[in-house]
Structures are given as structure tokens and as C-alpha cells.
Amino acid sequence: MSRQDAEEETGAGSGRLRPVDLARTAGVSTQQIRNYADAGILPPAPRSPAGYRMFDAGHRQALITYRALVRGHGPAAAQEVMRALHAGDTPRALALVDAGHAALHEQRNSLRTTGEALEALAEEGDGSPAPPRSRLRIGEVAAHLGVRASALRVWETAGLLTPSRDPVTHYRSYLPADVRDARVVHMLRQSHYLLPQIRPVLDDLRRSGGVGALRSALEQRRAALDQRARAMLEGAAHLHGYLTDTSSAPECPSSGRSASRGPYSADGAPEASAQ
């Protein structure tokens, strides 16, 4: 019998869980369970006298918690959360979860900014006058939009505008798309948007190719953010259960006692420190 086969048979009928038992819980391979254990995603597992890993209900709960966190935070962040917990650094684990929620909040803010700009563009529609020619110099664009040429230079320095240069005179040459971008920047600046807030709006507009396509892309993004938010809530529920449920905490390999996952008692209250 191979070591792998022996390890999978270890614990049968003893209340212990085999790698294959955990693998079936998560729908992964037994080798993936061993990888999780080696990576610190699962807490340390005691070994049998023959050297085989012995998992229990605490390891199953850790596995379920990790898989739930992955759906909302991604595998890298979820792994860091679990490793911090098993290293006894609960504050870091919670800070990592907070960072994930903060990043999602920033994405929602950016999406809202783009949506507001989109509606303003849609309201303006075809009412804005078309450029007089297909290529304009900076002074002509400034006059067309009613802004100073210095403002266009500032927006270019900020990376919002990228006009080409005339190969002979080296003057800036604005195509219709450049004029449209300048008009969008001007409109958002009048609404007190900061330059860093305007960049994603222009990026989305260029990528989608127009207002209608951008509106569809924004709706899809909103749905994706909502789905991720729900996944984060589910992950938080599993994480809270894992932090507070001492009945299924894995045993410490050296002592046979339940391993601590942080400074919390079974009811969620901070444990009193030893005197």
C-alpha cells in the first residue's frame, strides 16, 4: 500500500477525517487538501504514529471558511486571512477582510462616478456643436469648448488627453475623439470631479466605444459587484463561525487540546488574559 493510500485510510471509524473526506466536502482532489495544509490554509494537523495527517471537524470548518472567502476576496487574500488566523494574528486577518470591503467600496464609488458622467453625456446628446474640422489645433479646441488652452495642457499632463503632433510643425493635432474626450473632461470638471476621478470615465468610454455600450458595461459591472458583495457577506459569516466556534477547533498537535484561532471565546467575547 502506498503512503497516500495509507493516509487516506487513516482514521476510518475513529472519528478522524481523511484527506479524501475533506476533498469530498470541497469538491477538490486529495492532493489539493495536502497543498492547503502545507500552505497554512488549514491549521496544523497532528500526525499518527506512522506519520500520517489526522484531520478533524475543525479542519473541515477551516476548509469551508477558506472556500467561502475565496468567492468574495479571491484565493490570494483568502489564503492570507487563514494563515494569519492560524498564526494567532487575528487582528491582521480582520484587517485583510476590511481591506477587501474597502476596495469594493472604492470600486462602487468609481462606478457611480462613471454612471453620473454617462447620464450627463446622454442628456447632452447631439446638442453640442460639432468641431469645424477633423483636425484642430489647441487654440481652436479651447475656443470650441470655451476653455483656456492652458487647461487643455494640464489635462494632457494628467494623462487625460493624448493629442497627436503634426509631423511638420509639431503642433498638437486634435482628432474628433480627442475633442470629445476634452469635452467630457471639461463637463466633469464643471461638476467638480477631480482629475483622478475622470480618468476611469474616459478609459471606459474609449474601451466601450460609445455611451450605449458603456451603459451596458456599467450594468454588468454593477451586477458583478453586487454578487461579490453577497459572497463577501457569506465569507464573513463563515469566518465569524470559525473564529467563535471552539467546539470544532482542531487539536494542537503537541497537547491534544483545541487550537486557538484568536482572542475570542465560544460566545464571541474577548477571552480574559491569564494572570
Side-chain angles (χ1 to χ4, degrees):
M1 180 184 297
S2 69
R3 181 180 180 88
Q4 177 174 332
D5 292 337
E7 186 174 3
E8 290 185 358
E9 288 189 2
T10 299
S14 66
R16 300 289 185 184
L17 296 175
R18 303 163 297 171
V20 67
D21 297 322
L22 294 184
R24 288 168 180 164
T25 297
V28 298
S29 67
T30 54
Q31 183 56 52
Q32 189 63 55
I33 296 299
R34 298 184 184 91
N35 293 341
Y36 288 162
D38 292 340
I41 292 170
L42 303 182
R47 298 254 181 185
S48 70
Y52 303 129
R53 291 182 181 92
M54 296 187 296
F55 298 111
D56 58 23
H59 295 93
R60 188 206 300 271
Q61 189 174 5
L63 175 61
I64 293 172
T65 299
Y66 167 71
R67 300 284 290 184
L69 288 172
V70 165
R71 289 190 285 274
H73 295 268
Q79 178 173 325
E80 287 302 309
V81 169
M82 300 305 292
R83 291 179 66 179
L85 288 179
H86 299 146
D89 193 352
T90 303
R92 169 169 167 74
L94 297 178
L96 289 167
V97 173
D98 290 345
H101 285 280
L104 181 63
H105 179 66
E106 287 302 315
Q107 291 177 33
R108 285 194 184 279
N109 284 340
S110 177
L111 188 66
R112 184 173 62 253
T113 299
T114 303
E116 291 171 352
L118 174 64
E119 294 310 315
L121 283 173
E123 289 178 7
E124 188 175 81
D126 298 329
S128 58
R133 296 197 312 277
S134 61
R135 288 183 178 272
L136 301 179
R137 293 184 180 180
I138 187 170
E140 294 171 319
V141 175
H144 177 69
L145 299 178
V147 301
R148 294 179 180 273
S150 59
L152 294 173
R153 294 190 185 95
V154 170
W155 301 342
E156 182 179 345
T157 301
L160 302 179
L161 304 179
T162 56
S164 59
R165 295 275 182 165
D166 186 282
V168 178
T169 64
H170 300 291
Y171 291 148
R172 291 174 177 83
S173 180
Y174 289 79
L175 294 171
D178 299 316
V179 177
R180 180 206 63 184
D181 290 348
R183 181 165 55 86
V184 171
V185 175
H186 177 46
M187 180 183 61
L188 294 180
R189 289 295 292 146
Q190 287 181 314
S191 299
H192 308 291
Y193 285 99
L194 301 177
L195 296 182
Q197 294 177 303
I198 297 174
R199 180 187 291 274
V201 178
L202 288 174
D203 290 342
D204 286 340
L205 192 59
R206 291 163 181 160
R207 188 162 44 243
S208 63
V211 171
L214 178 54
R215 179 179 284 110
S216 176
L218 291 180
E219 288 302 324
Q220 293 177 7
R221 195 179 307 172
R222 285 192 188 97
L225 292 180
D226 288 345
Q227 183 178 8
R228 184 181 171 197
R230 293 189 182 96
M232 283 184 166
L233 287 176
E234 181 186 0
H238 283 283
L239 182 62
H240 179 265
Y242 186 59
L243 277 168
T244 58
D245 184 7
T246 59
S247 63
S248 62
E251 294 182 355
C252 292
S254 59
S255 65
R257 294 181 288 105
S258 292
S260 173
R261 290 190 289 259
Y264 293 88
S265 62
D267 62 0
E271 292 182 346
S273 58
Q275 299 296 320

